[in-house]
Amino acid sequence: MLLNILIPLIGIVFDQIVKYWASTELQAVGTIPLWEGVFHLTYCENTGAAFSMFTGQRWLLLAVTVVLLSGLLWALHKNWMQNAFGRMSLRLIISGAIGNMIDRILLGYVVDLFDFRLINFPIFNVADILLCVGVGMMVIYILFMEPKIEKAKKEAAQDGDHLSDGNA
């Protein structure tokens, strides 16, 4: 239970500290090349979601976030992800969603700053990283781990049935 609060809280605080720095320091200079033409820190205000989809749809994005967060929190509370890897995926997604939601509520936009220019990738932030890593972990869990967990449960149940029938 403690990890369900502590891990998202750490992610949210780290995200907000980085965004605060971007807003107070980076915004004034616009961009800082860390590796010219490859990776920059660039201040950006994003009024949309991933890849600037739904630009200007602040209230829609907030509503969708609240609904998704409710489902994720419920899944975490009900322990639907049956191992630590699966639960961590939920915690990371929750952390990232709340980090960006805070920006949308307080600012009306999300502060982005990581600018990977080598492949002309959209500018992103810590919350986006948490979301992407969490979703990637969830996909791995659903595709590869959950089927094994369910199979093991069925086998254990069948073994239990055989024992209760006296066939052991």
Side-chain angles (χ1 to χ4, degrees), residues 1-157:
M1 176 66 175
L2 180 61
L3 290 177
N4 291 345
I5 296 168
L6 189 60
I7 291 171
L9 186 60
I10 290 168
I12 293 163
V13 168
F14 183 61
D15 173 65
Q16 291 299 303
I17 289 170
V18 171
K19 289 174 178 174
Y20 177 79
W21 173 83
S23 297
T24 59
E25 302 295 325
L26 184 59
Q27 184 177 17
V29 295
T31 190
I32 299 172
L34 299 179
W35 184 358
E36 188 64 50
V38 176
F39 187 73
H40 293 221
L41 297 177
T42 303
Y43 181 82
C44 180
E45 296 174 358
N46 184 355
T47 61
F51 304 100
S52 295
M53 292 186 301
F54 304 106
T55 298
Q57 300 294 317
R58 175 184 182 194
W59 299 110
L60 172 66
L61 291 169
L62 281 170
V64 168
T65 301
V66 168
V67 169
L68 290 174
L69 273 173
S70 299
L72 293 167
L73 290 166
W74 182 254
L76 193 57
H77 173 72
K78 290 296 186 179
N79 210 24
W80 285 352
M81 299 297 212
Q82 300 174 35
N83 67 19
F85 188 86
R87 287 187 295 278
M88 181 59 79
S89 73
L90 290 173
R91 294 175 189 130
L92 293 177
I93 296 169
I94 290 166
S95 180
I98 291 173
N100 282 340
M101 186 173 74
I102 290 170
D103 283 17
R104 283 192 184 96
I105 291 170
L106 297 179
L107 305 172
Y109 55 85
V110 173
V111 174
D112 289 331
L113 67 144
F114 299 117
D115 186 2
F116 190 57
R117 294 182 176 191
L118 183 65
I119 58 171
N120 197 28
F121 197 77
I123 302 172
F124 57 98
N125 60 42
V126 171
D128 297 336
I129 295 168
L130 294 168
L131 281 163
C132 289
V133 170
V135 168
M137 289 174 67
M138 181 182 282
V139 168
I140 290 168
Y141 175 83
I142 291 169
L143 292 178
F144 302 108
M145 297 177 156
E146 188 174 41
K148 289 181 182 178
I149 293 169
E150 292 303 317
K151 181 180 177 185
K153 280 184 174 180
K154 286 180 184 175
E155 289 172 357

